[in-house]
Amino acid sequence: MRLEHFEAFAPICPVCRDADSESPIHIKSVDEWFSEEVILQGLLECENTYCRREFPIIDGIPLI
């Protein structure tokens, strides 16, 4: 997952969107980098304190 694409798209949590709330998703942790700007393995997390749903990044693909 390219950091510049993640920042440009600014993803919204699909669980919160269904509940009429638009909570952004942020990068929680990075387990493996491909380069300084590409994440291969890691976790994304919803910023809503009541949701905090986690979404994995596997082989550079965020599964949201």
PDB file of all heavy atoms in Angstrom, residues 39-62:
ATOM      1  N   ILE A  39       3.908   0.004   2.255  1.00  0.00           N
ATOM      2  CA  ILE A  39       3.700  -0.928   3.361  1.00  0.00           C
ATOM      3  C   ILE A  39       3.258  -2.270   2.793  1.00  0.00           C
ATOM      4  O   ILE A  39       2.319  -2.341   2.004  1.00  0.00           O
ATOM      5  CB  ILE A  39       2.623  -0.401   4.331  1.00  0.00           C
ATOM      6  CG1 ILE A  39       3.031   0.940   4.918  1.00  0.00           C
ATOM      7  CG2 ILE A  39       2.343  -1.420   5.432  1.00  0.00           C
ATOM      8  CD1 ILE A  39       1.943   1.619   5.725  1.00  0.00           C
ATOM      9  N   LEU A  40       3.928  -3.357   3.209  1.00  0.00           N
ATOM     10  CA  LEU A  40       3.539  -4.699   2.790  1.00  0.00           C
ATOM     11  C   LEU A  40       2.596  -5.364   3.790  1.00  0.00           C
ATOM     12  O   LEU A  40       1.617  -6.000   3.393  1.00  0.00           O
ATOM     13  CB  LEU A  40       4.770  -5.592   2.599  1.00  0.00           C
ATOM     14  CG  LEU A  40       5.548  -5.399   1.315  1.00  0.00           C
ATOM     15  CD1 LEU A  40       6.718  -6.365   1.264  1.00  0.00           C
ATOM     16  CD2 LEU A  40       4.666  -5.589   0.105  1.00  0.00           C
ATOM     17  N   GLN A  41       2.899  -5.257   5.071  1.00  0.00           N
ATOM     18  CA  GLN A  41       2.091  -5.889   6.117  1.00  0.00           C
ATOM     19  C   GLN A  41       1.845  -4.883   7.227  1.00  0.00           C
ATOM     20  O   GLN A  41       2.761  -4.171   7.627  1.00  0.00           O
ATOM     21  CB  GLN A  41       2.827  -7.099   6.713  1.00  0.00           C
ATOM     22  CG  GLN A  41       3.304  -8.131   5.726  1.00  0.00           C
ATOM     23  CD  GLN A  41       2.178  -8.936   5.100  1.00  0.00           C
ATOM     24  OE1 GLN A  41       1.121  -9.133   5.700  1.00  0.00           O
ATOM     25  NE2 GLN A  41       2.383  -9.376   3.879  1.00  0.00           N
ATOM     26  N   GLY A  42       0.623  -4.857   7.745  1.00  0.00           N
ATOM     27  CA  GLY A  42       0.330  -3.959   8.846  1.00  0.00           C
ATOM     28  C   GLY A  42      -1.142  -3.948   9.195  1.00  0.00           C
ATOM     29  O   GLY A  42      -1.909  -4.818   8.753  1.00  0.00           O
ATOM     30  N   LEU A  43      -1.540  -2.951   9.972  1.00  0.00           N
ATOM     31  CA  LEU A  43      -2.927  -2.813  10.402  1.00  0.00           C
ATOM     32  C   LEU A  43      -3.402  -1.370  10.247  1.00  0.00           C
ATOM     33  O   LEU A  43      -2.661  -0.436  10.533  1.00  0.00           O
ATOM     34  CB  LEU A  43      -3.073  -3.180  11.883  1.00  0.00           C
ATOM     35  CG  LEU A  43      -3.234  -4.633  12.247  1.00  0.00           C
ATOM     36  CD1 LEU A  43      -3.293  -4.787  13.761  1.00  0.00           C
ATOM     37  CD2 LEU A  43      -4.460  -5.231  11.619  1.00  0.00           C
ATOM     38  N   LEU A  44      -4.653  -1.241   9.823  1.00  0.00           N
ATOM     39  CA  LEU A  44      -5.344   0.041   9.802  1.00  0.00           C
ATOM     40  C   LEU A  44      -6.392  -0.010  10.902  1.00  0.00           C
ATOM     41  O   LEU A  44      -6.868  -1.086  11.268  1.00  0.00           O
ATOM     42  CB  LEU A  44      -6.017   0.275   8.454  1.00  0.00           C
ATOM     43  CG  LEU A  44      -5.117   0.229   7.228  1.00  0.00           C
ATOM     44  CD1 LEU A  44      -5.959   0.320   5.961  1.00  0.00           C
ATOM     45  CD2 LEU A  44      -4.109   1.347   7.267  1.00  0.00           C
ATOM     46  N   GLU A  45      -6.777   1.158  11.428  1.00  0.00           N
ATOM     47  CA  GLU A  45      -7.757   1.184  12.512  1.00  0.00           C
ATOM     48  C   GLU A  45      -8.695   2.368  12.344  1.00  0.00           C
ATOM     49  O   GLU A  45      -8.282   3.461  11.962  1.00  0.00           O
ATOM     50  CB  GLU A  45      -7.033   1.289  13.853  1.00  0.00           C
ATOM     51  CG  GLU A  45      -7.968   1.278  15.044  1.00  0.00           C
ATOM     52  CD  GLU A  45      -7.222   1.409  16.356  1.00  0.00           C
ATOM     53  OE1 GLU A  45      -6.427   2.364  16.503  1.00  0.00           O
ATOM     54  OE2 GLU A  45      -7.435   0.568  17.220  1.00  0.00           O
ATOM     55  N   CYS A  46      -9.963   2.148  12.668  1.00  0.00           N
ATOM     56  CA  CYS A  46     -10.966   3.217  12.666  1.00  0.00           C
ATOM     57  C   CYS A  46     -10.664   4.162  13.821  1.00  0.00           C
ATOM     58  O   CYS A  46     -10.318   3.728  14.919  1.00  0.00           O
ATOM     59  CB  CYS A  46     -12.356   2.610  12.821  1.00  0.00           C
ATOM     60  SG  CYS A  46     -13.658   3.847  12.990  1.00  0.00           S
ATOM     61  N   GLU A  47     -10.798   5.468  13.591  1.00  0.00           N
ATOM     62  CA  GLU A  47     -10.509   6.458  14.629  1.00  0.00           C
ATOM     63  C   GLU A  47     -11.659   6.668  15.609  1.00  0.00           C
ATOM     64  O   GLU A  47     -11.481   7.300  16.639  1.00  0.00           O
ATOM     65  CB  GLU A  47     -10.133   7.795  13.986  1.00  0.00           C
ATOM     66  CG  GLU A  47      -8.799   7.742  13.295  1.00  0.00           C
ATOM     67  CD  GLU A  47      -8.362   9.095  12.760  1.00  0.00           C
ATOM     68  OE1 GLU A  47      -9.058  10.098  12.980  1.00  0.00           O
ATOM     69  OE2 GLU A  47      -7.300   9.142  12.125  1.00  0.00           O
ATOM     70  N   ASN A  48     -12.829   6.140  15.313  1.00  0.00           N
ATOM     71  CA  ASN A  48     -13.983   6.280  16.201  1.00  0.00           C
ATOM     72  C   ASN A  48     -13.722   5.469  17.476  1.00  0.00           C
ATOM     73  O   ASN A  48     -13.471   4.272  17.431  1.00  0.00           O
ATOM     74  CB  ASN A  48     -15.236   5.766  15.495  1.00  0.00           C
ATOM     75  CG  ASN A  48     -16.487   5.941  16.312  1.00  0.00           C
ATOM     76  OD1 ASN A  48     -16.458   6.150  17.524  1.00  0.00           O
ATOM     77  ND2 ASN A  48     -17.624   5.857  15.638  1.00  0.00           N
ATOM     78  N   THR A  49     -13.808   6.118  18.633  1.00  0.00           N
ATOM     79  CA  THR A  49     -13.496   5.445  19.899  1.00  0.00           C
ATOM     80  C   THR A  49     -14.469   4.316  20.223  1.00  0.00           C
ATOM     81  O   THR A  49     -14.126   3.404  20.966  1.00  0.00           O
ATOM     82  CB  THR A  49     -13.480   6.450  21.069  1.00  0.00           C
ATOM     83  OG1 THR A  49     -14.728   7.129  21.112  1.00  0.00           O
ATOM     84  CG2 THR A  49     -12.354   7.442  20.899  1.00  0.00           C
ATOM     85  N   TYR A  50     -15.675   4.343  19.675  1.00  0.00           N
ATOM     86  CA  TYR A  50     -16.649   3.288  19.926  1.00  0.00           C
ATOM     87  C   TYR A  50     -16.515   2.125  18.946  1.00  0.00           C
ATOM     88  O   TYR A  50     -17.008   1.038  19.218  1.00  0.00           O
ATOM     89  CB  TYR A  50     -18.072   3.847  19.872  1.00  0.00           C
ATOM     90  CG  TYR A  50     -18.317   4.888  20.922  1.00  0.00           C
ATOM     91  CD1 TYR A  50     -18.389   6.233  20.599  1.00  0.00           C
ATOM     92  CD2 TYR A  50     -18.439   4.518  22.255  1.00  0.00           C
ATOM     93  CE1 TYR A  50     -18.595   7.190  21.579  1.00  0.00           C
ATOM     94  CE2 TYR A  50     -18.644   5.472  23.246  1.00  0.00           C
ATOM     95  CZ  TYR A  50     -18.719   6.799  22.896  1.00  0.00           C
ATOM     96  OH  TYR A  50     -18.919   7.749  23.872  1.00  0.00           O
ATOM     97  N   CYS A  51     -15.854   2.334  17.857  1.00  0.00           N
ATOM     98  CA  CYS A  51     -15.706   1.293  16.831  1.00  0.00           C
ATOM     99  C   CYS A  51     -14.337   0.611  16.938  1.00  0.00           C
ATOM    100  O   CYS A  51     -14.246  -0.566  17.239  1.00  0.00           O
ATOM    101  CB  CYS A  51     -15.890   1.903  15.440  1.00  0.00           C
ATOM    102  SG  CYS A  51     -15.704   0.730  14.080  1.00  0.00           S
ATOM    103  N   ARG A  52     -13.286   1.341  16.639  1.00  0.00           N
ATOM    104  CA  ARG A  52     -11.901   0.839  16.674  1.00  0.00           C
ATOM    105  C   ARG A  52     -11.713  -0.459  15.871  1.00  0.00           C
ATOM    106  O   ARG A  52     -10.880  -1.284  16.207  1.00  0.00           O
ATOM    107  CB  ARG A  52     -11.416   0.624  18.106  1.00  0.00           C
ATOM    108  CG  ARG A  52     -11.282   1.863  18.907  1.00  0.00           C
ATOM    109  CD  ARG A  52     -10.141   2.686  18.418  1.00  0.00           C
ATOM    110  NE  ARG A  52      -9.943   3.834  19.300  1.00  0.00           N
ATOM    111  CZ  ARG A  52      -9.381   4.930  18.920  1.00  0.00           C
ATOM    112  NH1 ARG A  52      -8.904   5.046  17.720  1.00  0.00           N
ATOM    113  NH2 ARG A  52      -9.262   5.934  19.752  1.00  0.00           N
ATOM    114  N   ARG A  53     -12.503  -0.631  14.807  1.00  0.00           N
ATOM    115  CA  ARG A  53     -12.377  -1.811  13.948  1.00  0.00           C
ATOM    116  C   ARG A  53     -11.015  -1.803  13.287  1.00  0.00           C
ATOM    117  O   ARG A  53     -10.525  -0.764  12.867  1.00  0.00           O
ATOM    118  CB  ARG A  53     -13.488  -1.780  12.886  1.00  0.00           C
ATOM    119  CG  ARG A  53     -13.529  -2.901  11.903  1.00  0.00           C
ATOM    120  CD  ARG A  53     -14.111  -4.183  12.441  1.00  0.00           C
ATOM    121  NE  ARG A  53     -15.321  -3.997  13.192  1.00  0.00           N
ATOM    122  CZ  ARG A  53     -16.505  -4.517  12.875  1.00  0.00           C
ATOM    123  NH1 ARG A  53     -16.643  -5.225  11.792  1.00  0.00           N
ATOM    124  NH2 ARG A  53     -17.547  -4.326  13.636  1.00  0.00           N
ATOM    125  N   GLU A  54     -10.376  -2.970  13.187  1.00  0.00           N
ATOM    126  CA  GLU A  54      -9.061  -3.093  12.560  1.00  0.00           C
ATOM    127  C   GLU A  54      -9.193  -3.752  11.189  1.00  0.00           C
ATOM    128  O   GLU A  54     -10.003  -4.663  11.007  1.00  0.00           O
ATOM    129  CB  GLU A  54      -8.120  -3.907  13.447  1.00  0.00           C
ATOM    130  CG  GLU A  54      -7.774  -3.204  14.738  1.00  0.00           C
ATOM    131  CD  GLU A  54      -6.820  -4.008  15.604  1.00  0.00           C
ATOM    132  OE1 GLU A  54      -6.666  -5.228  15.370  1.00  0.00           O
ATOM    133  OE2 GLU A  54      -6.232  -3.415  16.514  1.00  0.00           O
ATOM    134  N   PHE A  55      -8.382  -3.279  10.255  1.00  0.00           N
ATOM    135  CA  PHE A  55      -8.359  -3.806   8.895  1.00  0.00           C
ATOM    136  C   PHE A  55      -6.911  -4.145   8.545  1.00  0.00           C
ATOM    137  O   PHE A  55      -6.032  -3.298   8.672  1.00  0.00           O
ATOM    138  CB  PHE A  55      -8.899  -2.760   7.908  1.00  0.00           C
ATOM    139  CG  PHE A  55     -10.275  -2.262   8.265  1.00  0.00           C
ATOM    140  CD1 PHE A  55     -10.433  -1.092   8.980  1.00  0.00           C
ATOM    141  CD2 PHE A  55     -11.392  -2.974   7.894  1.00  0.00           C
ATOM    142  CE1 PHE A  55     -11.699  -0.632   9.321  1.00  0.00           C
ATOM    143  CE2 PHE A  55     -12.659  -2.520   8.221  1.00  0.00           C
ATOM    144  CZ  PHE A  55     -12.821  -1.352   8.938  1.00  0.00           C
ATOM    145  N   PRO A  56      -6.647  -5.379   8.101  1.00  0.00           N
ATOM    146  CA  PRO A  56      -5.258  -5.772   7.815  1.00  0.00           C
ATOM    147  C   PRO A  56      -4.766  -5.244   6.470  1.00  0.00           C
ATOM    148  O   PRO A  56      -5.546  -4.972   5.560  1.00  0.00           O
ATOM    149  CB  PRO A  56      -5.334  -7.301   7.798  1.00  0.00           C
ATOM    150  CG  PRO A  56      -6.717  -7.590   7.334  1.00  0.00           C
ATOM    151  CD  PRO A  56      -7.582  -6.489   7.933  1.00  0.00           C
ATOM    152  N   ILE A  57      -3.447  -5.111   6.384  1.00  0.00           N
ATOM    153  CA  ILE A  57      -2.773  -4.853   5.115  1.00  0.00           C
ATOM    154  C   ILE A  57      -1.979  -6.124   4.831  1.00  0.00           C
ATOM    155  O   ILE A  57      -1.101  -6.492   5.611  1.00  0.00           O
ATOM    156  CB  ILE A  57      -1.813  -3.652   5.197  1.00  0.00           C
ATOM    157  CG1 ILE A  57      -2.551  -2.409   5.648  1.00  0.00           C
ATOM    158  CG2 ILE A  57      -1.129  -3.430   3.851  1.00  0.00           C
ATOM    159  CD1 ILE A  57      -1.634  -1.253   6.031  1.00  0.00           C
ATOM    160  N   ILE A  58      -2.321  -6.833   3.754  1.00  0.00           N
ATOM    161  CA  ILE A  58      -1.680  -8.102   3.418  1.00  0.00           C
ATOM    162  C   ILE A  58      -1.101  -7.995   2.013  1.00  0.00           C
ATOM    163  O   ILE A  58      -1.830  -7.676   1.066  1.00  0.00           O
ATOM    164  CB  ILE A  58      -2.679  -9.263   3.494  1.00  0.00           C
ATOM    165  CG1 ILE A  58      -3.270  -9.343   4.911  1.00  0.00           C
ATOM    166  CG2 ILE A  58      -2.023 -10.583   3.095  1.00  0.00           C
ATOM    167  CD1 ILE A  58      -4.393 -10.339   5.070  1.00  0.00           C
ATOM    168  N   ASP A  59       0.173  -8.256   1.896  1.00  0.00           N
ATOM    169  CA  ASP A  59       0.877  -8.164   0.608  1.00  0.00           C
ATOM    170  C   ASP A  59       0.661  -6.807  -0.059  1.00  0.00           C
ATOM    171  O   ASP A  59       0.491  -6.732  -1.276  1.00  0.00           O
ATOM    172  CB  ASP A  59       0.458  -9.293  -0.334  1.00  0.00           C
ATOM    173  CG  ASP A  59       0.931 -10.649   0.145  1.00  0.00           C
ATOM    174  OD1 ASP A  59       1.974 -10.710   0.822  1.00  0.00           O
ATOM    175  OD2 ASP A  59       0.245 -11.652  -0.141  1.00  0.00           O
ATOM    176  N   GLY A  60       0.604  -5.755   0.737  1.00  0.00           N
ATOM    177  CA  GLY A  60       0.464  -4.401   0.208  1.00  0.00           C
ATOM    178  C   GLY A  60      -0.963  -4.003  -0.122  1.00  0.00           C
ATOM    179  O   GLY A  60      -1.202  -2.909  -0.624  1.00  0.00           O
ATOM    180  N   ILE A  61      -1.938  -4.859   0.193  1.00  0.00           N
ATOM    181  CA  ILE A  61      -3.332  -4.574  -0.132  1.00  0.00           C
ATOM    182  C   ILE A  61      -4.131  -4.369   1.157  1.00  0.00           C
ATOM    183  O   ILE A  61      -4.232  -5.286   1.970  1.00  0.00           O
ATOM    184  CB  ILE A  61      -3.965  -5.718  -0.949  1.00  0.00           C
ATOM    185  CG1 ILE A  61      -3.176  -5.899  -2.230  1.00  0.00           C
ATOM    186  CG2 ILE A  61      -5.431  -5.450  -1.236  1.00  0.00           C
ATOM    187  CD1 ILE A  61      -3.539  -7.139  -2.998  1.00  0.00           C
ATOM    188  N   PRO A  62      -4.719  -3.184   1.362  1.00  0.00           N
ATOM    189  CA  PRO A  62      -5.557  -2.970   2.551  1.00  0.00           C
ATOM    190  C   PRO A  62      -6.916  -3.641   2.344  1.00  0.00           C
ATOM    191  O   PRO A  62      -7.573  -3.431   1.332  1.00  0.00           O
ATOM    192  CB  PRO A  62      -5.686  -1.447   2.628  1.00  0.00           C
ATOM    193  CG  PRO A  62      -5.441  -0.974   1.243  1.00  0.00           C
ATOM    194  CD  PRO A  62      -4.540  -1.970   0.585  1.00  0.00           C
TER     195      PRO A  62
END
